[in-house]
Amino acid sequence: MSASSDTRPPVTHPTPAASAPSVGYQGEPGAFSELALRRWFGGSARAVPLPDFETVLARVRSGEVDFAILPVENTLAGSVAAACDAFLRAEVDVAGEVVEPIRHQLLALPGTPPSALRRVSSHPVALDQCRAFLARHPHMRVVTGSDTAGAARAVAEGGDPAAAAIASEGAGERYGLEVIARDIHDRPDNQTRFWVLRSWGAPMAAPQPGVSHSMLVFETRNEPGALARVLRELAEAGLNLKALTARPAEEPWHYRFIAEVEGDLTSGRGAVAIASATPHMVRSRVVGPWTVRGPGGADGVAAPHADAAGCRRAIDAVDRALVRLLAQRRDLATRTQSLRTGGGDLLRDPAREAEVLRHAAAEARAVGLPEESVRQLFWRVIETCHPAVSEAPPVT
Ligand SMILES: O=C(O)C(=O)C[C@]1(C(=O)O)C=C[C@@H](O)C=C1
């Protein structure tokens, strides 16, 4: 793989006309996909739980939901095959990517001693991330279910003290379960990548900062070197190959490849690479570009670490990102002010400030932060972005 530095302008990020988009996800409330969609869309988005990946894709394709979120790869369990296959069958666009830290908890009815547990259920991809824990507890029979939060709900509703589920702490809180064993995933830096999907042709809005990523979906001729020739065109264009996924095409022993690269395949050297690779491909389509958010993503938030020094480095990275976001916010606020006043004196808008504080409080509630404290912090944020605004916050 070759390194690349992306100096192109920011990727255009989709935002639907409505301020609170609807976002479909597979699973039940409390699923990791719901956490991921909150990271991308914030607390005000309407999360729409759906039974399976096919339904998620069908809903976003038909426009019944504005966006969808799809788990595509986990650092321990690898590609989420069913999600990739559903994506390959649907004509949808990737609008963004979220990298979400995944922390699994063993959940059971409150007061259950660990020795009483006989059965543990969860999504198979989640079970794959907790292999060492499950191997250490062979007295628990492993049962696969259709999602983590659904498994937690079933334990709560079933009332069986021998039953446990593996799911997020949030799912445990939602369904009134207790954490019996904490952080049981095989590595502390466990993460999943999710694609944010939209139907082709959905409106695009404000550009987002960050490195753009895009993908080539293709099939090759069944001949020696066909895949290597396509990949060489990408490498020679200086595009870093981030992930290569192979899924079976319908015809026996034929494959469909998803090559994800850092860079834009729709313009410049990326488009030239695609033109050169075309003779080596049977079918192909380019998807994206999009930006990445979350640990290891383009917004610079660091991954979780096992030791305190690693955590502090991660905190430092988060703090740097926060300050950069503040500078970005100040620039936007300054521009808003000048558009509102036609370049005149700074003018406060108490109604808008109240709205900003309300949004921040809603966001805080969604991620479990103390609302009042975040509200006050945001008053200081408005102040910091506008030194001229320094009075007490409006009462809402
Ligand atoms: O939204 C605006 O009109 C702004 O000027 C930005 C902003 C803010 O920082 O959020 C700043 C001052 C106004 O009183 C209201 C909001």
Side-chain angles (χ1 to χ4, degrees):
M1 296 187 197
S2 58
S4 78
S5 62
D6 193 327
T7 50
R8 277 179 295 278
V11 170
T12 303
H13 170 61
T15 349
S19 57
S22 56
V23 189
Y25 69 98
Q26 189 273 328
E28 299 194 19
F32 288 101
S33 292
E34 195 191 0
L35 290 179
L37 79 83
R38 294 282 169 225
R39 185 187 286 277
W40 186 273
F41 292 98
S44 55
R46 188 165 65 81
V48 182
L50 296 167
D52 49 50
F53 294 135
E54 301 293 343
T55 312
V56 170
L57 269 299
R59 293 285 172 89
V60 74
R61 228 177 90 171
S62 66
E64 282 167 85
V65 292
D66 298 314
F67 296 99
I69 194 127
L70 198 67
V72 286
E73 188 182 4
N74 173 262
T75 48
L76 291 170
S79 296
V80 183
C84 291
D85 289 345
F87 170 78
L88 287 171
R89 279 193 288 271
E91 283 171 7
V92 293
D93 201 1
V94 178
E97 186 175 320
V98 181
V99 184
E100 188 64 36
I102 303 293
R103 296 178 55 192
H104 290 298
Q105 320 299 341
L106 184 73
L107 305 167
L109 296 175
T112 307
S115 58
L117 297 172
R118 292 286 169 270
R119 206 156 31 84
V120 55
S121 60
S122 196
H123 189 278
V125 175
L127 293 166
D128 261 1
Q129 296 160 39
C130 306
R131 282 186 208 166
F133 176 86
L134 295 171
R136 284 198 306 275
H137 299 85
H139 64 284
M140 284 191 252
R141 189 164 55 86
V142 175
V143 182
T144 56
S146 59
D147 82 300
T148 54
R153 183 187 47 73
V155 168
E157 286 174 4
D160 177 359
I166 293 178
S168 69
E169 186 158 16
E173 279 162 15
R174 176 181 285 268
Y175 300 112
L177 298 177
E178 194 174 294
V179 176
I180 307 296
R182 187 169 287 283
D183 292 345
I184 60 169
H185 36 286
D186 290 349
R187 281 180 59 110
D189 52 1
N190 187 32
Q191 300 164 37
T192 295
R193 288 199 297 132
F194 296 79
W195 290 333
V196 178
L197 305 175
R198 60 174 202 132
S199 61
W200 290 113
M204 307 286 278
Q208 293 294 295
V211 177
S212 52
H213 293 232
S214 47
M215 75 163 71
L216 173 64
V217 179
F218 64 103
E219 287 173 46
T220 59
R221 290 181 209 293
N222 193 2
E223 60 188 31
L227 173 62
R229 278 194 283 273
V230 174
L231 296 182
R232 196 172 53 227
E233 296 299 343
L234 301 178
E236 282 174 3
L239 297 159
N240 192 24
L241 184 65
K242 194 174 74 141
L244 180 66
T245 310
R247 295 299 308 151
E250 285 79 26
E251 211 181 319
W253 313 120
H254 280 243
Y255 300 93
R256 224 161 257 158
F257 297 100
I258 305 174
E260 292 169 78
V261 299
E262 277 173 18
D264 183 356
L265 292 170
T266 64
S267 64
R269 59 194 170 151
V272 173
I274 296 299
S276 314
T278 299
H280 312 305
M281 301 187 283
V282 180
R283 272 179 217 94
S284 67
R285 74 179 161 109
V286 168
V287 180
W290 66 84
T291 53
V292 182
R293 200 170 288 178
D299 60 356
V301 178
H305 288 267
D307 58 305
C311 284
R312 281 191 171 164
R313 279 195 301 277
I315 289 173
D316 289 344
V318 169
D319 291 348
R320 277 195 301 276
L322 282 173
V323 174
R324 279 201 304 272
L325 284 171
L326 269 181
Q328 209 176 317
R329 190 185 192 287
R330 180 210 46 213
D331 294 348
L332 283 167
T334 307
R335 171 115 183 98
T336 316
Q337 289 266 338
S338 113
L339 288 170
R340 278 201 296 120
T341 63
D345 288 344
L346 290 179
L347 201 59
R348 288 189 56 185
D349 179 345
R352 171 61 186 158
E353 288 175 18
E355 186 180 48
V356 168
L357 299 183
R358 259 199 323 277
H359 288 166
E363 201 68 37
R365 196 166 44 246
V367 297
L369 280 170
E371 271 179 64
E372 189 44 41
S373 186
V374 168
R375 193 186 278 271
Q376 282 175 18
L377 191 64
F378 265 75
W379 170 244
R380 295 306 305 269
V381 164
I382 295 175
E383 230 180 9
T384 305
C385 294
H386 290 262
V389 180
S390 55
E391 290 151 43
V395 180
T396 53

